[in-house]
Amino acid sequence: MNTTPVGLYSISVRGLNVPDLLAWAASHTIPFVHLRGGPRGVDLAFQPASTVWRWRKAAAETVPITGVTADIDVADLLTGDARTRRRAARDVAEVAETAAMLGAGWVRLLARTPLTASDLHQGAGLPVLADSPIPVLIEPHHPGWVAPDTLRPFLDLVGACPQPGLLADTAQLAAALPPGSEGASWLGPVLDHARVLHLSDPGTGLDAAGHAVVAAAAADRIRAGQRLEIAVEWTGADRSPDECLTRYQEATAWWGRLATAYRQ
């Protein structure tokens, strides 16, 4: 378990352009990168094709970009006026197409705005995602998504999507756990749908309550044969390359210790 490759989410480090980020990661034996692809990142969908191909070449020479995060909210695909939904659908398509050009294996959407069960049922499997060239993962980014009246419709929506899956984030899921909890009824079903796990340190460390509960449950699934891609997400105040590397190394060591400790 402790040999599971652990990559890095590019939100964790600032001041490096994409080729320099990839070269830096390779120099420190970081095996792959998740690229922050939305407007607050590299704004991937608005990059010229020549730039995207240059980045792909850099990835081929250093470390791969295995996934891209978009900042599009699932709520924009399901609610609001027709213009908002069309714009969100177009944005999903553009990011997914460009991510595929980079060689990425998935693109992530945010589930940041909790919706009602009725909203989710009306989504009918988010048909806008059917033509995506790569899987579109959804990240539950608010405790409201695992509320009893929302969880099942949300997971049904995810399961009905083409190439469905979730990106699970230890900080987001830990925040939804009851205080002092060793787990929750919703954690298993959420991780059953997960394809990616971010070990997400917002500056308080991964030893904060809940992170180990989420990560240990994910480790159980890896042992059982579920494929999960693991990456570190550092979002503390200092995101210089040196600090990021320190946090990455601490997180990978933490993951290795946890995975070994929970081995049956």
Side-chain angles (χ1 to χ4, degrees):
M1 178 64 64
N2 58 357
T3 60
T4 303
V6 179
L8 180 73
Y9 182 19
S10 70
I11 197 174
S12 308
V13 61
R14 292 173 173 155
L16 299 174
N17 62 33
V18 172
D20 287 346
L21 168 67
L22 299 174
W24 173 82
S27 72
H28 294 291
T29 64
I30 297 170
F32 59 86
V33 165
H34 295 165
L35 188 65
R36 191 180 195 188
R40 296 181 64 191
V42 299
D43 213 357
L44 188 60
F46 289 90
Q47 297 295 333
S50 59
T51 297
V52 177
W53 287 116
R54 180 166 55 83
W55 291 353
R56 177 166 181 150
K57 182 176 183 291
E61 294 171 348
T62 52
V63 298
I65 297 168
T66 60
V68 169
T69 64
D71 296 328
I72 301 152
D73 197 317
V74 171
D76 290 335
L77 292 163
L78 298 178
T79 61
D81 58 33
R83 181 178 179 182
T84 297
R85 295 196 300 272
R86 285 195 302 270
R87 182 173 64 247
R90 182 196 64 218
D91 291 346
V92 172
E94 290 175 347
V95 174
E97 289 169 6
T98 312
M101 289 172 61
L102 271 180
W106 50 266
V107 62
R108 177 220 68 178
L109 305 184
L110 280 172
R112 184 168 42 203
T113 307
L115 301 178
T116 66
S118 176
D119 290 329
L120 294 168
H121 284 307
Q122 290 175 15
L126 290 173
V128 66
L129 308 184
D131 296 328
S132 176
I134 55 177
V136 178
L137 310 185
I138 298 174
E139 180 181 352
H141 217 262
H142 187 285
W145 286 106
V146 298
D149 59 344
T150 305
L151 177 63
R152 178 44 54 193
F154 175 54
L155 294 181
D156 287 345
L157 177 73
V158 172
C161 290
Q163 307 178 86
L166 292 177
L167 187 151
D169 177 292
T170 61
Q172 296 296 333
L173 296 182
L177 291 171
S181 173
E182 292 301 317
S185 60
W186 51 262
L187 183 57
V190 166
L191 290 177
D192 286 344
H193 286 74
R195 297 181 56 167
V196 176
L197 175 72
H198 278 179
L199 307 176
S200 182
D201 179 358
T204 53
L206 290 169
D207 290 326
H211 287 272
V213 173
V214 175
D220 285 342
R221 279 154 178 74
I222 293 174
R223 282 193 296 274
Q226 182 174 337
R227 296 186 64 182
L228 270 171
E229 189 169 287
I230 312 295
V232 172
E233 178 177 349
W234 159 242
T235 55
D238 181 357
R239 290 189 232 170
S240 64
D242 286 347
E243 181 66 13
C244 174
L245 180 62
T246 296
R247 297 290 181 157
Y248 170 82
Q249 292 169 337
E250 290 174 351
T252 53
W254 178 88
W255 167 256
R257 290 192 301 271
L258 179 144
T260 301
Y262 279 81
R263 180 177 295 166
Q264 310 226 341

